[in-house]
């Protein structure tokens, strides 16, 4: 199984939302990182064939998805960021309804419903109305509907947004458990989730692929440019602590202000703490400030 993207472009008026995007996906979990407006949602829209492309090709096993049409969409499972529910439906009613929209037969829907209810810990919630569910439970239901027809390609848009830490761990584990023999793309702003589950991370910026690699590869690339400075609480308002290109970390030594820069800013030192994907995100997507924190590698 292979999903190939060649020179993919999409315009919204004069704005080019996706600019000659190229990548080849094989089975595995891929994290998609980028600021708002980077092109993540546009990419998902083109992959689900709900947006019309303005250039390029998307090939599934060597065939253009436009030629495959409905035969390709049957291989897609999509979990949207915005949870559009039918509030009066029960969990079971909602999933059976989604199965019918996917043109699944009744027996197949029942079989998959029982399988997923057990796998995603939904047993006991069948008669619960959608409007009565917690945020984390709604996310599990949305993951279940994406998996109903056993898709080969799974697109997850902010799957852990708005849930508590324990539910985030649960959802991450669920994603990992269904990853075998699937291409899974996870678009998120919660970069710590990707360190746990993503085999490859793609960083998008202004509609282009800015960087890609395993989490460890990206971290090693950025590590030489990460600097830190011990500060006290009285300095919090004067040392750039409100600038999104900096991050503040609590350590045994005290508060540490950390940044990514092409050279060491005055008063900073090379970091003594573990570099993470947070710093990779700062490097490629952080805003410029007086310390020139953005690094083009």
């Amino acid at each position: 199984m292979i999903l190939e993207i060649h020179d993919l472009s999409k315009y919204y008026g004069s704005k080019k939302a996706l600019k000659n995007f190229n990548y080849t996906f094989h089975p595995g979990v891929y994290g998609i990182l980028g600021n708002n407006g980077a092109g993540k949602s546009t990419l998902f829209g083109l992959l689900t064939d709900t947006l019309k492309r303005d250039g390029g090709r998307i090939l599934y096993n060597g065939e253009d998805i436009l030629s495959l049409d409905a035969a390709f969409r049957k291989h897609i499972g999509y979990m949207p960021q915005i949870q559009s529910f039918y509030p009066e439906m029960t969990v079971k009613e909602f999933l059976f309804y989604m199965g019918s929209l996917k043109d699944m037969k009744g027996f197949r829907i029942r079989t998959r419903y029982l399988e997923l209810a057990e796998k995603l810990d939904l047993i006991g919630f069948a008669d619960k109305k959608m409007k009565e569910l917690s945020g984390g439970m709604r996310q599990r239901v949305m993951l279940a509907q994406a998996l109903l027809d056993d898709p080969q390609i799974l697109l997850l848009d902010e799957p852990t947004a708005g849930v508590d830490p324990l539910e985030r761990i649960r959802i991450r584990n669920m994603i990992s458990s269904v990853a075998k023999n699937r291409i899974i793309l996870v678009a998120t702003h919660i970069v710590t989730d990707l360190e746990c589950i993503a085999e490859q991370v793609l960083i998008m910026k202004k509609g282009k692929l800015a960087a890609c690699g395993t989490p460890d590869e990206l971290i090693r690339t950025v590590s030489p440019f990460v600097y830190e400075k011990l500060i006290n609480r009285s300095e919090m308002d004067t040392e750039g602590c409100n600038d999104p290109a900096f991050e503040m970390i609590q350590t045994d030594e005290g508060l540490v202000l950390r940044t990514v820069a092409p050279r060491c800013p005055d008063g900073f030192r090379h970091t003594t703490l573990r570099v993470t994907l947070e710093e990779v995100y700062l490097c490629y997507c952080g805003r410029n400030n007086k310390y020139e924190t953005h690094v083009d590698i």
Side-chain angles (χ1 to χ4, degrees):
M1 178 172 49
I2 182 171
L3 182 66
E4 302 169 79
I5 300 176
H6 298 285
D7 296 322
L8 192 61
S9 296
K10 175 63 182 176
Y11 296 85
Y12 294 106
S14 60
K15 180 184 176 183
K16 202 168 187 178
L18 211 62
K19 306 174 184 179
N20 302 109
F21 190 91
N22 291 276
Y23 200 81
T24 299
F25 297 97
H26 299 275
V29 180
Y30 298 81
I32 314 290
L33 278 176
N35 293 333
N36 290 332
K40 303 186 301 295
S41 295
T42 297
L43 176 62
F44 276 21
L46 293 169
L47 288 173
T48 55
D49 196 21
T50 55
L51 287 178
K52 182 180 178 181
R53 71 184 78 155
D54 292 308
R57 296 189 303 162
I58 303 172
L59 306 180
Y60 179 63
N61 293 335
E63 293 188 63
D64 196 298
I65 67 169
L66 296 183
S67 300
L68 292 169
D69 198 23
F72 170 72
R73 289 193 294 274
K74 191 167 181 63
H75 294 294
I76 291 280
Y78 178 48
M79 178 181 175
Q81 178 181 357
I82 299 174
Q83 302 173 348
S84 299
F85 293 118
Y86 296 84
E88 297 299 326
M89 281 188 177
T90 66
V91 170
K92 185 175 182 179
E93 287 170 343
F94 174 73
L95 291 175
F96 270 64
Y97 175 64
M98 294 304 294
S100 67
L101 293 181
K102 296 172 188 284
D103 201 27
M104 297 170 64
K105 303 299 182 183
F107 175 78
R108 173 69 171 161
I109 296 174
R110 285 192 293 274
T111 301
R112 287 295 290 162
Y113 169 78
L114 292 173
E115 292 172 355
L116 292 168
E118 182 174 1
K119 192 175 192 68
L120 301 181
D121 198 16
L122 295 174
I123 293 175
F125 294 90
D127 298 322
K128 196 88 166 176
K129 288 188 176 182
M130 299 294 291
K131 66 180 182 181
E132 299 171 342
L133 300 178
S134 67
M137 182 61 67
R138 286 197 297 269
Q139 293 294 76
R140 276 189 259 163
V141 174
M142 291 304 288
L143 181 57
Q145 67 78 27
L147 287 165
L148 263 179
D149 208 13
D150 200 17
Q152 295 298 297
I153 300 169
L154 195 58
L155 307 179
L156 309 177
D157 197 353
E158 299 288 353
T160 60
V163 303
D164 63 54
L166 287 177
E167 194 64 40
R168 277 176 54 205
I169 293 171
R170 182 198 294 267
I171 292 172
R172 286 197 316 240
N173 290 344
M174 290 173 182
I175 293 170
S176 295
S177 72
V178 300
K180 186 176 181 182
N181 299 324
R182 285 190 175 93
I183 294 172
I184 301 181
L185 276 61
V186 183
T188 183
H189 288 94
I190 305 173
V191 295
T192 51
D193 286 346
L194 298 186
E195 283 190 296
C196 299
I197 62 174
E199 298 164 53
Q200 294 282 323
V201 175
L202 285 68
I203 300 176
M204 297 181 65
K205 185 175 182 181
K206 296 180 179 178
K208 293 184 176 182
L209 183 62
C212 61
T214 68
D216 285 344
E217 287 170 346
L218 292 171
I219 287 168
R220 284 199 301 272
T221 299
V222 169
S223 290
F225 305 100
V226 181
Y227 303 97
E228 65 187 20
K229 176 182 181 179
L230 277 168
I231 63 171
N232 57 53
R233 294 194 177 275
S234 64
E235 298 176 291
M236 289 176 61
D237 293 332
T238 60
E239 288 295 331
C241 298
N242 294 322
D243 191 316
F246 291 85
E247 61 178 332
M248 203 162 36
I249 300 172
Q250 183 72 51
T251 72
D252 292 339
E253 295 180 81
L255 284 175
V256 168
L257 189 66
R258 183 183 275 199
T259 191
V260 184
R263 56 186 177 274
C264 186
D266 292 342
F268 282 70
R269 65 188 183 190
H270 193 269
T271 186
T272 59
L273 302 173
R274 180 181 178 273
V275 176
T276 69
L277 277 181
E278 294 277 2
E279 286 73 49
V280 174
Y281 187 85
L282 281 178
C283 177
Y284 289 99
C285 305
R287 299 176 183 175
N288 292 329
N289 57 34
K290 64 180 179 179
Y291 290 125
E292 300 180 53
T293 49
H294 178 71
V295 179
D296 287 314
I297 295 177

